[in-house]
Coordinates of all heavy atoms in Angstrom, one line a residue:
P226 N 73.9 -42.7 173.8 CA 72.6 -43.1 173.3 C 72.0 -44.3 174.1 O 72.7 -45.0 174.7 CB 72.9 -43.5 171.8 CG 74.3 -43.9 171.8 CD 75.0 -43.0 172.8
V259 N 78.2 -42.2 168.8 CA 78.9 -43.5 169.0 C 78.5 -44.0 170.4 O 78.6 -43.4 171.4 CB 80.4 -43.3 168.9 CG1 81.1 -44.7 169.1 CG2 80.8 -42.7 167.6
A557 N 99.0 -15.4 179.8 CA 98.4 -14.0 180.0 C 97.2 -14.1 180.9 O 97.0 -13.2 181.8 CB 98.1 -13.4 178.7
P565 N 101.6 -15.6 189.5 CA 102.8 -15.7 188.8 C 103.0 -17.1 188.3 O 102.5 -18.1 188.8 CB 103.9 -15.3 189.9 CG 103.2 -15.6 191.2 CD 101.7 -15.4 190.9

Side-chain angles (χ1 to χ4, degrees):
V259 180

